[in-house]
Each structure stands twice: as structure tokens, then as C-alpha cells.
Amino acid sequence: QVQLVESGGGLVQAGGSLRLSCAASGRSFSSYDMGWFRQAPGKEREFVAAINWNAGSTNYADSVKGRSTISRDNAKKTVDLQMNSLKPEDTAVYYCAASSTQGKPYWSAKYEYWGQGTQVTVSS
């Protein structure tokens, strides 16, 4: 069992930066692939970024590629998402997710555990 708690969201002006953090509790965090997803009002949840269990592989949605960096610290059981050059279209609730299976980082169904989400609002 893994519990996830996100933090770091907030209100920021376009062009600004935010660092989202996800703290995990439970055993075997270091064996889980981790992902960030987001959901804007009236839209479906979408993939943002993912990092595999040993940080050897990262993946990004085209919409955030070049502006975001995902990282993890297995000793601290945390995974972070640094987002720069934020745009109003980045406004959404951001969710952290954990998966005990490898591969298919874009596929939300592979992630068994989800946090409650943190709101990111980017003003123009």
C-alpha cells in the first residue's frame, strides 16, 4: 500500500514557475514507477510526466516537454515536478500516481495509487 500527498500548487502568473512535490508513505517506494497527471475543469485527466523506479527513464507530454522536469529521491520517498514558463493552459489539478508495474508511463490505468491532487492556477 502506498499513500501519496501532493504539495506545492498555487496561483502564479504566466511565465512563472512552480515546483510540485509528492510525498509517499508505505513500503517499496523505490520499486514504483511514478507519474504526474492533471485535470482541467471540463476536461479528461491527462498525462504530464513520469519517471521509472530507478530514475533511469523519464517521459513528458508534448505540452510540457522542455518546460518541466520530473525527479525523485527514493531515500526521501518523494517525486517532484519542476514546471517553468507556465501558461494559463497549465491550469489544472495535478495528481501524483504510483505504479508497481513497469512500462506504459502514459497510461493512467497502470497506476494503482493516486494522491488527492494540488491545484495549479496560472493567470494571464
Side-chain angles (χ1 to χ4, degrees):
Q1 194 81 358
V2 176
Q3 294 182 326
L4 305 171
V5 178
E6 302 95 338
S7 62
L11 174 64
V12 63
Q13 289 188 332
S17 298
L18 280 176
R19 188 176 185 88
L20 306 184
S21 186
C22 175
S25 61
R27 301 174 62 182
S28 304
F29 171 79
S30 60
S31 67
Y32 284 84
D33 284 1
M34 300 298 296
W36 283 95
F37 290 76
R38 67 186 182 187
Q39 187 166 20
K43 295 186 177 181
E44 294 187 352
R45 185 168 53 191
E46 64 175 3
F47 170 78
V48 177
I51 187 167
N52 76 328
W53 64 278
N54 66 354
S57 175
T58 58
N59 292 273
Y60 298 92
D62 288 343
S63 58
V64 304
K65 194 174 295 182
R67 301 189 292 122
S68 299
T69 303
I70 189 171
S71 60
R72 69 187 294 163
D73 186 327
N74 284 344
K76 295 182 179 179
K77 297 185 180 180
T78 59
V79 58
D80 292 347
L81 181 66
Q82 176 69 42
M83 300 190 297
N84 302 320
S85 302
L86 284 162
K87 305 174 182 180
E89 50 263 45
D90 293 318
T91 295
V93 177
Y94 283 70
Y95 298 92
C96 174
S99 172
S100 60
T101 60
Q102 297 179 18
K104 299 182 179 179
Y106 311 96
W107 191 38
S108 63
K110 99 177 195 116
Y111 295 89
E112 302 105 304
Y113 305 104
W114 293 81
Q116 293 300 305
T118 186
Q119 175 71 47
V120 171
T121 303
V122 183
S123 62
S124 57

